[in-house]
Amino acid sequence: MKNRKIGVLTSGGDAPGMNAAIRAVTRAGINNGFEVYGIRQGYRGLMDGDIYQLNSWDVSGIIQAGGTFLQTARSEEFRTVEGRQRAYEQLKKFGIDSLVVIGGDGSFTGANLLSMETDINVIGIPGTIDNDLYGTDYTIGYDTALNTVIQAIDKIRDTANSHNRVFFVEVMGRDAGFIALHSCVACGAEVAIIPEEQNQLEKARQYLSVRGNKRKSTIILVAEGAKEGDVRSISEQIQSDFPNLDIRLSILGHMQRGGTPSAKDRIVASFMGIAAVQALMDNQKSLMIGWKNEQPVHVPLSKVIKTHKGVSHEEVACAESIGTFIPVIDN
Ligand code: F6P
């Protein structure tokens, strides 16, 4: 077998289920004759040589934990040729010829460059709560985060109902509105303002202008990346347009990234980890393990980073068709 040593790291924002992926890469790697090395704190740890060999016991008891036991980081230095050269030297020092990167599109941009500039076989595993990677139906962490958001919104609904209030709730999603739209559908929130759509703020205005008194509460979800502005400025605009409404805002923040991974996140992450090792055994490189039709697929890293995945108009239309956005309440 050509590839004898695999390095594994997590990079970018942590996501529940990353531990299951590390565990699967480690165990599938060892069971197939590789040595597996854990790299702490993502690309930063890689450049600094914070690398140690993992055995099967090292990854025991981590599958149920949120976060990433290897820790993670966002590295500016790895964006530079010099940074990647430093990383390459560390990999050579440890005799590592294959690297599994668990992360999102920023992490894969670096992974793709490392792969083009060196002889390291790089495989990506999609790990981000945003679910915004091209070439895969699913990214590790999305299901857990969505369930966390849904629980939080249900609680906000209780207090909003009790006070007849309008709540603006900011959820994560810098470039995509998956969390906002899907939690909107799941919680029956009235409007979701997402980066992919232009007219959602106007829809919120229309909705509020016909809301009437029969409605006990209104919840308007705002994705972090909404083009109309941040949740604070949006809620201030609406408050000045509708001075009689009792408006509050809530920013869910990083609690969305934590927590015990769901069954789906543990299982998909495990199968992706196994598929990554299999790809290395087949001498594959520069690809991401995606998830389509409940199975792992191979997608070139170059394609993943070039193409944006967002919520489709069709999906928004579906959400509207069951009344989520429809401004007809009274009469
Ligand atoms: O990992 C994705 C994400 O959670 C985005 O939804 C969010 O915009 C960003 O990370 C926050 O990053 P950080 O934790 O570095 O502030």
Side-chain angles (χ1 to χ4, degrees), residues 12-15 74 127-130 132 171-175 179 224-225 254 256-257:
D14 62 308
R74 298 192 191 277
T128 163
I129 65 161
D130 290 352
D132 61 348
V171 297
M172 280 190 169
R174 227 179 347 205
D175 304 310
I179 295 178
E224 254 183 326
H254 285 78
Q256 294 166 88
R257 287 225 300 249

Side-chain angles (χ1 to χ4, degrees), residues 44-51 84-96:
R44 188 193 298 159
L46 175 56
M47 290 181 291
D48 292 346
D50 196 354
I51 300 170
R84 291 190 295 276
Q85 186 57 33
R86 218 151 71 74
Y88 179 64
E89 281 158 18
Q90 292 294 346
L91 288 168
K92 286 284 124 182
K93 190 170 123 196
F94 283 83
I96 295 171

